[in-house]
């Protein structure tokens, strides 16, 4: 178990004692309240001792906090003007920081803090706790309803979000002073803007009205605001959308309105506000946060859903429940996981910075009396094409260049039919799985932007897309299946079609894969108690050989992991239960908080291969029949039918002493004609006529007889060469008294007096296969042509691979300009032939695949300990060593080789442009 994080809270006013200290004390297994900053404590234990009865260390200045080496996390809950200088000093001291909203007074300051945190490799988190309000969670669930749902609002056209109250006088705190980031827009507006950006993204226009409505206090400190955020038609909103954010200081209403949402199919109105703040002010103990009734919203303030019926006249009303309790504690759980385990931040700093930017633009709009267009509005967004191959579906998604892969998944959830949840999506680009923290602009500098999407069946929020029916069954395509990340909180998945996610592939045509099926069931038994452990497999070696041959026939490589023994079983681990989805059985993780055992980790690796193998369609095993040669008469109606079809008639075979005799077999003329290899003659003759026509088109032989004579001589030579080769080798005939050569391992003809050898077990007779010609027959000519093509295609390949495989640090001179020019010209002319180019790009792709694989390992992030552990596993240590070795080898290579490797990694595959 990881050691709790030592936390210090700056400020013990309303913010510290209500929103920070209780959660740190409640999560005693994640945090330890090490100290607080209280400049003038009135009692020995300070306000924390007075409020919660807990003794903590008290610092009287920020310098003491900075100098305390035991403090890991600092919560900045001080006045808004101090957020930037305090956070900057703490980040420079190497401490993790949680900053209350608004994070800074300016967007420039927020951006500076974000860059500083990255450079220091520490966590910088924004306290946007209102994302876990009960009513906001209910609203998100409502807006996620598909349009086919009976509770859908349709396309949203207007969205109102309020934080209204009635207060005539000032509170007399620092919030009433004309300081940086003062006023209600920075205070409550931070929450409203953050929620709007979460739901709808960045607006196209902003128009704001900000004022000191009461006329009390300093006129520059606003107490009311109305902000209009306009959205153009886009992927999220098929109709123009207006978002109205409002906080009125003199609103007489009980309860106050919270949300008003208008859509094309209905409306939603919600009164009252989340109850967590009121509960936190009066709780007797921080442990009350963990009780069932904490954060539960009373039913009398649940939202009301009004829907228009099909007649466009009748309106029905119903309650939309805030069934999920408010959970500010989830923010602190995510913060602890990010610090200890490197988990992804739910509230990203870039999102908190965008809130400050919107507030600045709102103040600018109110001051100048005009509409402001954000500099990076949706007009600067980029399109990413998403391919969902499992459902033959492709669609575009528009995101900002600065967005992350996680935000791309959120957009996909809105755009893709079935609304797959982001956690169940896997995005694959150039053969690798994209991490949620990667940014769009770092992945794609130019077009095209294409990703492949795989969705776990349990991630569909509604009915998934319809799989188009094909007239012919798909041919099996060998595809590597990446090993999934062994994180028990993430369901393992696959990039294969949806039916392959089920751990129980169909049994049809799996007889050759009995060995794989046995290993598959064995792996499942380690993950789920619902799957019994299979009995030992009889004749395992025979079944394994059959499975290996089957996979190789389809172009697969046998996975070595299927031959490895499972580690011994141990107590604990994760547990999967069998669940039924759309009539199919799936495994669903029921213990996400547990860590898999070594045997379960091995089982998940095994399943990543067996799922794809067992889901591969296999043709039924053909029936082999032995046919005895005998004389038979062809029925007349068969030849009549063949004649109607334009096909030659059948003739019964003559049998002479048990050996079939063909018609005209004794005719020497027909025998000679049959033995002439037509294909080696016809192919060069056609190409010769074609090239000759080209020459005659460009050269006039009548005006230049010498060219005509040269062309005639060349034609005669080209025609004579195959004839000469055929005559020289007797047209591929086997000389007398020489036994024919075996054909691809077939049994030689039976000599008189010999008994025929029995066929090999499982052998399938080869029908209509003529004996292979001799050493210089037509097949040999084709092989010679293929050898020439292979030599031209692999020009300089072997030399270049020797250079790439040369030991790092060895002296390797860069080819001269003349060498490069000659190589270019040679390749330019030789690869004009399609066969040569196909062979060359296969060689290049094979070499580039090795380079890309090494680059992925070399550029992979440093591994971090698994959840609940402080040290790396042996596998992680080995991966780290391999990564450092590849990096050292790469740095020792000459600059020009490093440049070539970087170009290979950055550019597309050599044949992607075809």
């Amino acid at each position: 178990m990881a050691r709790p994080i030592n936390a210090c809270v700056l400020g013990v006013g309303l913010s510290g004692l209500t929103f920070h200290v209780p959660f740190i004390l409640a999560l005693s297994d994640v945090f330890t309240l090490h100290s607080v900053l209280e400049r003038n404590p009135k009692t020995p234990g300070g306000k924390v001792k007075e409020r919660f009865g807990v003794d903590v260390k008290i610092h009287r200045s920020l310098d003491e906090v900075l100098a305390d080496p035991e403090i890991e996390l600092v919560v900045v809950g001080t006045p808004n003007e101090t957020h930037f200088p305090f956070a900057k000093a703490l980040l420079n001291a190497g401490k993790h920081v949680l900053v209350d909203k608004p994070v800074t007074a300016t967007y420039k300051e927020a951006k500076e803090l974000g860059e500083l945190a990255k450079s220091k490799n520490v966590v910088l988190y924004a306290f946007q706790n209102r994302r876990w309000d009960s009513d906001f969670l209910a609203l998100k669930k409502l807006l996620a309803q598909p349009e086919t749902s009976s509770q859908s609002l349709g396309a949203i056209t207007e969205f109102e979000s309020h934080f209204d109250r009635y207060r005539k006088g000032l509170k007399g705190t620092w919030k009433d002073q004309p300081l940086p980031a003062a006023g209600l827009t920075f205070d409550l507006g931070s929450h409203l803007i953050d929620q709007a950006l979460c739901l709808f993204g960045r607006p196209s226009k902003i128009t704001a009205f900000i004022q000191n409505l009461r006329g009390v206090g300093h006129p520059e400190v606003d107490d009311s605001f109305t902000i209009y955020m306009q959205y153009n038609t886009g992927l999220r909103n098929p109709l123009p959308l207006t978002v109205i954010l409002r906080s009125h200081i003199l609103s007489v209403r009980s309860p106050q309105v919270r949300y008003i949402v208008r859509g094309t199919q209905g409306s939603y109105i919600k009164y009252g506000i989340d109850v967590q703040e009121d509960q936190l002010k009066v709780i007797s103990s921080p442990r009350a946060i963990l009780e069932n009734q904490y954060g539960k919203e009373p039913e009398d303030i649940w939202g009301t859903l009004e829907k228009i019926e099909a007649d466009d006249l009748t309106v029905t009303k119903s309650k939309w429940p805030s069934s999920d309790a408010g959970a500010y504690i989830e923010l602190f759980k995510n913060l602890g996981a990010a610090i200890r385990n490197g988990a992804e931040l739910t509230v990203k700093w870039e999102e908190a910075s965008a809130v400050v930017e919107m507030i600045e633009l709102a103040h600018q709009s109110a001051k100048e009396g005009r509409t402001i267009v954000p500099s990076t509005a949706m007009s600067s967004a980029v399109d990413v094409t998403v391919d969902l191959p499992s459902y033959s579906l492709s669609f575009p998604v528009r995101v900002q260049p600065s967005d992350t892969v996680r935000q791309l998944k959120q957009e996909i959830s809105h755009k893709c039919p079935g609304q797959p949840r982001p956690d169940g999506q896997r995005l694959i680009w150039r053969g690798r799985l994209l991490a949620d923290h990667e940014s769009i602009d770092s992945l794609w500098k130019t077009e095209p932007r294409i990703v492949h999407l795989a969705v776990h069946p349990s991630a569909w929020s509604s009915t998934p897309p319809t799989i188009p029916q094909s007239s012919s069954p798909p041919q099996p395509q060998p595809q590597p299946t990446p090993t999934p990340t062994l994180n028990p909180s993430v369901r393992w998945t696959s990039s294969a079609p949806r039916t392959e996610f089920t751990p129980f592939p169909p049994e049809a045509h799996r007889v050759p894969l009995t060995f794989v099926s046995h290993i598959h069931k064995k792996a499942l038994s380690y993950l789920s108690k619902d799957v019994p452990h299979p009995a030992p497999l009889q004749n395992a070696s025979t079944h394994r050989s059959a499975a290996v041959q089957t996979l190789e026939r389809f172009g697969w490589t046998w996975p070595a992991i299927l031959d490895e023994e499972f580690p011994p079983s141990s107590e604990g681990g994760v547990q999967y239960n069998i669940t039924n989805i759309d009539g199919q059985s799936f495994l669903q993780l029921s213990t996400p908080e547990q860590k898999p055992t070594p045997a379960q980790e091995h089982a998940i690796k095994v399943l990543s291969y067996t799922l794809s193998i067992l889901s591969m369609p296999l043709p039924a095993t053909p029936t082999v029949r032995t046919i005895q040669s005998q004389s038979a008469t062809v029925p007349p109606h068969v030849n009549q039918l063949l004649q109607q079809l334009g096909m030659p008639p059948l003739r019964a075979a003559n049998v002479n002493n048990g050996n079939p005799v063909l018609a005209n077999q004794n005719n020497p003329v027909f025998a000679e004609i049959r033995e002439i290899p037509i294909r080696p003659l016809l192919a060069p003759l056609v190409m010769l006529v074609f090239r000759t026509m080209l020459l005659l088109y460009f050269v006039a032989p009548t005006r230049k007889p010498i060219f005509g004579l040269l062309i005639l001589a060349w034609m005669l030579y080209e025609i004579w060469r195959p004839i000469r080769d055929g005559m020289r080798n007797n047209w591929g005939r086997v000389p007398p008294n020489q036994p024919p050569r075996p054909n691809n391992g077939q049994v030689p003809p039976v000599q008189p007096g010999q008994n025929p050898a029995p066929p090999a077990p499982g052998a399938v007779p080869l029908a209509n296969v003529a004996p292979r010609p001799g050493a210089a027959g037509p097949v040999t000519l084709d092989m010679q042509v293929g050898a020439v093509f292979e030599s031209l295609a692999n020009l300089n390949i072997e030399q270049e691979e020797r250079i790439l495989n040369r030991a790092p640090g060895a002296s390797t001179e860069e080819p001269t300009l003349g060498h490069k020019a000659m190589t270019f010209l040679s390749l330019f002319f030789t690869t004009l032939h399609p066969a040569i180019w196909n062979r060359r790009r296969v060689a290049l792709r094979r070499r580039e695949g090795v380079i890309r694989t090494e680059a992925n390992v070399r550029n992979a992030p440093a591994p971090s300990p698994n959840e609940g552990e402080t040290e790396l596993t042996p596998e992680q240590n080995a991966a780290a060593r391999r990564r450092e070795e590849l990096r050292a080898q790469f740095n020792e290579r000459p600059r020009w080789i490093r440049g070539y490797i970087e170009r290979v990694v950055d550019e597309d595959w050599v044949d992607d442009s075809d």
Side-chain angles (χ1 to χ4, degrees):
M1 180 177 178
R3 176 176 55 84
I5 301 166
N6 284 335
C8 174
V9 178
L10 306 186
V12 286
L14 173 65
S15 175
L17 293 179
T18 304
F19 294 106
H20 302 306
V21 171
F23 294 99
I24 293 176
L25 294 176
L27 295 173
S28 57
D29 57 336
V30 180
F31 301 101
T32 297
L33 184 58
H34 175 273
S35 55
V36 296
L37 173 64
E38 188 174 358
R39 300 185 186 277
N40 299 302
K42 296 180 180 180
T43 58
K47 292 184 179 180
V48 175
K49 174 73 172 179
E50 183 179 328
R51 174 76 171 82
F52 299 105
V54 178
D55 289 312
V56 296
K57 187 176 183 179
I58 298 178
H59 290 297
R60 296 176 181 268
S61 67
L62 180 64
D63 292 337
E64 293 181 15
V65 176
L66 295 173
D68 193 333
E70 296 180 352
I71 298 176
E72 300 175 80
L73 167 68
V74 180
V75 180
V76 180
T78 51
N80 297 348
E81 62 172 323
T82 64
H83 289 181
F84 173 70
F86 282 12
K88 184 175 181 180
L90 293 166
L91 292 175
N92 281 319
K95 301 184 184 300
H96 306 289
V97 180
L98 172 65
V99 186
D100 212 336
K101 57 80 197 168
V103 292
T104 56
T106 66
Y107 174 67
K108 181 180 179 181
E109 292 175 345
K111 191 174 181 180
E112 180 180 344
L113 290 182
E115 294 173 351
L116 178 60
K118 289 181 180 179
S119 65
K120 296 294 184 179
N121 195 27
V122 293
V123 174
L124 179 60
Y125 207 110
F127 188 71
Q128 288 290 358
N129 60 314
R130 292 286 180 180
R131 293 193 186 185
W132 286 272
D133 279 356
S134 179
D135 48 18
F136 183 65
L137 297 176
L139 175 65
K140 288 176 61 180
K141 187 178 296 185
L142 173 61
L143 297 183
Q145 294 296 311
E147 291 194 11
T148 55
S149 171
S150 61
Q151 296 172 316
S152 171
L153 298 179
I156 306 302
T157 59
E158 189 172 85
F159 175 85
E160 287 188 51
S161 180
H162 292 248
F163 266 163
D164 298 330
R165 60 185 58 175
Y166 184 81
R167 183 181 294 156
K168 293 181 64 175
L170 301 176
K171 295 183 64 175
T173 65
W174 56 267
K175 293 186 178 182
D176 299 327
Q177 302 299 318
L179 302 172
L184 200 63
T185 309
F186 273 98
D187 187 18
L188 298 182
S190 297
H191 291 307
L192 299 185
I193 293 176
D194 179 67
Q195 291 183 351
L197 295 181
C198 286
L199 293 175
F200 306 109
R202 198 174 178 85
S204 304
K205 299 177 183 178
I206 293 180
T207 307
F209 303 92
I210 301 175
Q211 57 187 329
N212 186 319
L213 182 65
R214 296 170 299 181
V216 297
H218 197 283
E220 293 183 2
V221 180
D222 57 278
D223 59 11
S224 297
F225 64 83
T226 300
I227 302 174
Y228 292 87
M229 301 171 67
Q230 297 172 278
Y231 291 81
N232 296 331
T233 302
L235 297 177
R236 284 189 176 183
N237 42 295
L239 297 176
L241 169 66
T242 300
V243 172
I244 306 171
L245 310 177
R246 177 174 294 154
S247 182
H248 202 288
I249 199 65
L250 296 177
S251 175
V252 181
R253 195 163 190 172
S254 181
Q256 298 281 2
V257 66
R258 182 65 180 92
Y259 296 113
I260 301 176
V261 186
R262 297 179 175 88
T264 56
Q265 298 178 16
S267 298
Y268 171 75
I269 185 167
K270 169 72 169 61
Y271 293 92
I273 199 168
D274 182 85
V275 299
Q276 291 182 86
E277 181 175 350
D278 292 336
Q279 290 177 332
L280 290 171
K281 290 178 180 179
V282 298
I283 58 173
S284 58
S285 169
R287 302 300 297 179
I289 297 174
L290 305 177
E291 296 177 356
N292 291 334
Q293 294 305 313
Y294 173 81
K296 286 292 184 70
E297 190 173 77
E299 294 187 16
D300 58 347
I301 61 171
W302 282 359
T304 301
L305 183 63
E306 299 186 34
K307 287 281 295 179
I308 191 74
E309 295 300 318
D311 59 3
D312 291 339
L313 295 174
T314 307
V315 176
T316 58
K317 292 185 178 182
S318 62
K319 285 289 187 180
W320 181 258
S322 300
S323 54
D324 294 330
Y328 295 164
I329 198 170
E330 294 298 326
L331 183 148
F332 289 90
K333 289 181 179 178
N334 179 243
L335 173 61
I339 294 175
R340 280 289 181 256
N341 305 319
E344 180 186 4
L345 303 183
T346 303
V347 182
K348 298 178 175 55
W349 189 258
E350 293 79 7
E351 298 170 352
S353 302
V355 171
V356 177
E357 181 188 5
M358 295 298 108
I359 295 175
E360 285 186 323
L361 296 177
H363 275 283
Q364 180 185 351
S365 172
K367 182 179 180 180
E368 300 177 1
R370 65 183 182 92
T371 298
I372 302 297
V373 177
S375 58
T376 55
M378 293 304 292
S379 59
S380 63
V382 296
D383 288 328
V384 178
T385 300
V386 180
D387 285 338
L388 187 58
S390 305
Y391 298 88
S392 300
L393 179 66
S394 180
F395 54 91
V397 171
R398 176 159 294 185
V399 292
Q400 294 292 329
S402 59
D403 284 351
T404 62
V405 172
R406 176 70 180 184
Q407 292 168 304
L408 173 60
K409 290 181 178 179
Q410 293 172 351
E411 293 293 335
I412 291 174
S413 181
H414 290 284
K415 178 66 175 177
C416 181
Q419 285 77 47
R421 292 189 299 275
D423 292 339
Q425 299 179 25
R426 297 293 180 269
L427 296 182
I428 303 169
W429 175 66
R430 287 189 175 180
R432 72 176 181 89
L433 202 64
L434 296 182
D436 285 350
H437 67 274
E438 295 185 76
S439 62
I440 301 301
D441 55 0
S442 66
L443 293 173
W444 293 283
K445 302 299 182 183
T446 58
E447 299 282 354
R449 302 178 181 90
I450 302 175
V451 295
H452 296 280
L453 170 65
V455 181
H456 193 278
S458 63
W460 296 107
S461 301
S462 59
T463 304
T466 302
I467 303 178
Q469 299 297 325
S470 176
S471 58
S472 58
Q475 295 299 319
Q477 295 294 331
Q479 296 177 354
T481 303
T483 301
T485 304
L486 299 179
N487 187 339
S489 63
V490 180
R491 294 183 179 91
W492 47 269
T493 183
S494 169
S495 60
R498 182 181 177 218
T499 54
E500 294 184 5
F501 288 107
T502 171
F504 311 102
E507 293 288 341
H509 308 318
R510 280 207 269 134
V511 175
L513 300 177
T514 302
F515 181 83
V516 179
S517 180
H518 174 77
I519 299 296
H520 181 81
K521 294 177 181 177
K522 187 176 180 180
L524 290 177
S525 66
Y526 283 94
L527 297 176
S528 176
K529 296 179 180 179
D530 299 335
V531 181
H533 199 79
L537 182 64
Q538 300 295 329
N539 300 323
S541 59
T542 302
H543 288 297
R544 180 188 177 278
S545 300
V548 171
Q549 295 175 4
T550 301
L551 293 187
E552 290 179 349
R553 187 168 69 250
F554 283 93
W556 291 58
T557 301
W558 178 255
I561 193 172
L562 300 187
D563 297 326
E564 299 178 7
E565 293 292 334
F566 281 79
S569 299
S570 57
E571 295 296 330
V574 298
Q575 181 62 33
Y576 287 86
N577 296 327
I578 296 180
T579 183
N580 189 279
I581 302 176
D582 295 339
Q584 298 184 18
S585 297
F586 295 86
L587 288 184
Q588 187 172 25
L589 183 63
S590 59
T591 56
E593 70 282 354
Q594 299 297 326
K595 179 184 177 182
T597 64
Q600 290 178 331
E601 290 184 357
H602 183 79
I604 293 176
K605 293 179 182 178
V606 168
L607 291 176
S608 68
Y609 291 94
T610 58
L611 279 172
S612 298
I613 294 174
L614 295 179
S615 300
M616 178 179 64
L618 297 180
T621 304
T623 302
V624 180
R625 295 183 302 169
T626 303
I627 300 176
Q628 301 293 335
S629 298
Q630 58 184 359
S631 179
T633 304
V634 180
H637 66 274
V638 174
N639 282 334
Q640 294 175 2
L641 178 61
L642 292 177
Q643 186 177 6
Q644 294 175 3
L645 296 175
M647 301 177 64
L650 295 177
R651 294 188 300 272
N654 298 322
V655 179
N656 184 11
N657 295 328
N659 297 320
V661 179
L662 298 178
N664 300 317
Q665 184 175 12
N666 297 324
N667 191 325
V669 177
F670 282 100
E672 291 295 331
I673 294 177
R674 283 196 305 268
E675 292 181 356
I676 294 178
I678 302 299
R679 180 172 170 269
L681 286 176
L682 187 60
L685 183 61
V686 172
M687 293 301 300
L688 175 63
V689 172
F690 175 71
R691 288 178 291 183
T692 304
M693 296 299 295
L694 288 179
L695 288 174
L696 293 176
Y697 178 80
F698 290 105
V699 178
T702 56
R703 288 181 293 176
K704 299 178 180 178
I706 184 62
F707 287 105
L709 294 176
L710 291 175
I711 292 174
L712 180 60
W714 176 62
M715 288 179 59
L716 294 176
Y717 173 75
E718 290 287 338
I719 293 174
W720 166 247
R721 186 172 56 181
I723 298 175
R724 177 200 60 193
D725 293 338
M727 295 176 63
R728 179 182 299 172
N729 294 283
N730 202 19
W731 299 110
R733 288 175 294 181
V734 180
N737 305 323
Q738 181 177 342
R741 299 176 56 183
N743 183 20
N744 293 336
Q746 295 186 42
V747 181
V750 180
Q751 300 297 328
Q754 284 186 333
N755 294 325
V764 178
L766 298 177
N768 301 325
V769 179
R772 178 168 296 187
V779 176
T780 306
L781 290 177
D782 290 345
M783 295 174 60
Q784 292 174 350
V785 173
V788 172
F789 284 175
E790 195 72 25
S791 300
L792 294 176
N794 289 279
L795 181 66
N796 288 343
I797 290 289
E798 184 177 353
Q799 178 184 358
E800 293 170 358
E801 290 188 349
R802 282 200 303 268
I803 295 176
L804 290 175
N805 296 330
R806 191 166 297 174
S811 176
T812 304
E813 297 294 334
E814 183 177 4
T816 62
L817 182 62
H819 177 81
K820 293 179 179 179
M822 290 299 298
T823 302
F824 171 78
L825 292 175
S826 302
L827 293 176
F828 178 80
F829 289 106
T830 56
T831 56
L832 289 177
H833 196 288
I836 299 177
W837 169 237
N838 288 337
R839 284 173 166 83
R840 183 165 187 86
R841 68 177 178 179
V842 168
L844 292 177
R845 191 178 182 106
R846 183 170 56 248
R847 185 173 71 193
E848 290 183 11
V850 176
I851 294 175
R852 290 173 186 270
T853 302
E854 292 186 355
N856 289 337
V857 176
R858 186 175 63 247
N859 298 327
S864 58
N866 295 327
E867 183 177 358
E869 297 184 356
T870 58
E871 297 182 355
L872 300 177
T873 62
E875 293 80 4
Q876 291 175 325
N877 284 323
R881 287 194 301 270
R882 179 55 179 165
R883 183 185 61 144
E884 296 303 325
E885 291 175 0
L886 291 176
R887 288 185 175 181
Q889 294 175 3
F890 179 77
N891 294 330
E892 292 177 2
R893 292 183 182 275
R895 182 187 300 272
W896 66 276
I897 294 182
R898 294 202 304 268
Y900 166 74
I901 294 176
E902 291 172 352
R903 288 194 302 273
V904 169
V905 175
D906 292 338
E907 298 297 329
D908 291 330
W909 289 100
V910 68
D911 57 352
D912 279 352
S913 59
D914 287 2

